[in-house]
Each structure stands twice: as structure tokens, then as C-alpha cells.
Amino acid sequence: MAGIDTLDAGYHHLLLRPRLTKGLSFAEGSLDTLYGIVKSRWQLHGRHVQLDFTIPANCQADVYLPGTKNNKKLSLGSGQYHYDYEAEGDLETIYEELS
């Protein structure tokens, strides 16, 4: 549900794709890699989405923002990131898009 995955064998290129899940208001997860700890957290209050990510040094990540138009994809380098926005569309559709 936190959506942490890898796009290569060594966790140097990450995939962060949080899965907003019907019946849950938040999820978080972390993974200890050779480069450091990867973290992903989402929280949903009605239509209000909050996302927090930590990408270790010397890593990059493809990050999908659920509830945005076409599940907007970002390419990010190492660091800590926070996103705060209102979900577009109805939540039932967002849950279906992510399943």
C-alpha cells in the first residue's frame, strides 16, 4: 500500500506508487537498502491527499501522485519530499485506477 518498489536490481532507481485504498485513511512503509532507507507515506482526509517520500542519497525515483490527472509521474533525485493537494475526480474512480 505504501507503494515502494525498484526499477533495477540494486534499489538505485526506485518506483514510488502509493496505493490509496478504500477503507484506509493512511499507510506508510520503509525499506532499508544499501543506499539508505526509502520511505513512503500517504494520508487521505476526504479528498485531501498528503504524501511524504524519502529517497536515499545517490538514488532516483519515479513517483506517481495518486488522485492527480493521469496519476502524474515525477522523476526525483535523493531527498525528502512532501505533497499536499485535493484529489481530482471521484475517489471510487481513483481506487479503480490504482487496482
Side-chain angles (χ1 to χ4, degrees):
M1 287 180 249
I4 300 172
D5 205 348
T6 185
L7 295 172
D8 67 10
Y11 283 91
H12 184 261
H13 191 178
L14 302 161
L15 174 64
L16 299 175
R17 190 174 194 146
R19 303 276 185 191
L20 302 183
T21 304
K22 192 173 190 173
L24 295 180
S25 60
F26 79 97
E28 62 186 337
S30 63
L31 179 67
D32 195 4
T33 73
L34 294 174
Y35 298 98
I37 298 175
V38 179
K39 296 180 183 177
S40 176
R41 182 181 196 285
W42 63 262
Q43 190 163 0
L44 184 64
H45 298 285
R47 304 184 55 71
H48 190 87
V49 180
Q50 291 180 316
L51 304 172
D52 292 286
F53 303 110
T54 300
I55 302 167
N58 301 311
C59 293
Q60 60 184 5
D62 290 349
V63 177
Y64 289 86
L65 303 182
T68 59
K69 187 174 182 178
N70 299 320
N71 289 317
K72 183 176 181 178
K73 177 185 167 189
L74 305 173
S75 295
L76 303 175
S78 59
Q80 295 183 341
Y81 299 89
H82 176 78
Y83 297 92
D84 201 329
Y85 58 92
E86 292 295 317
E88 300 172 355
D90 75 71
L91 291 177
E92 291 299 320
T93 303
I94 293 167
Y95 297 139
E96 290 171 15
E97 289 173 355
L98 296 173
S99 53

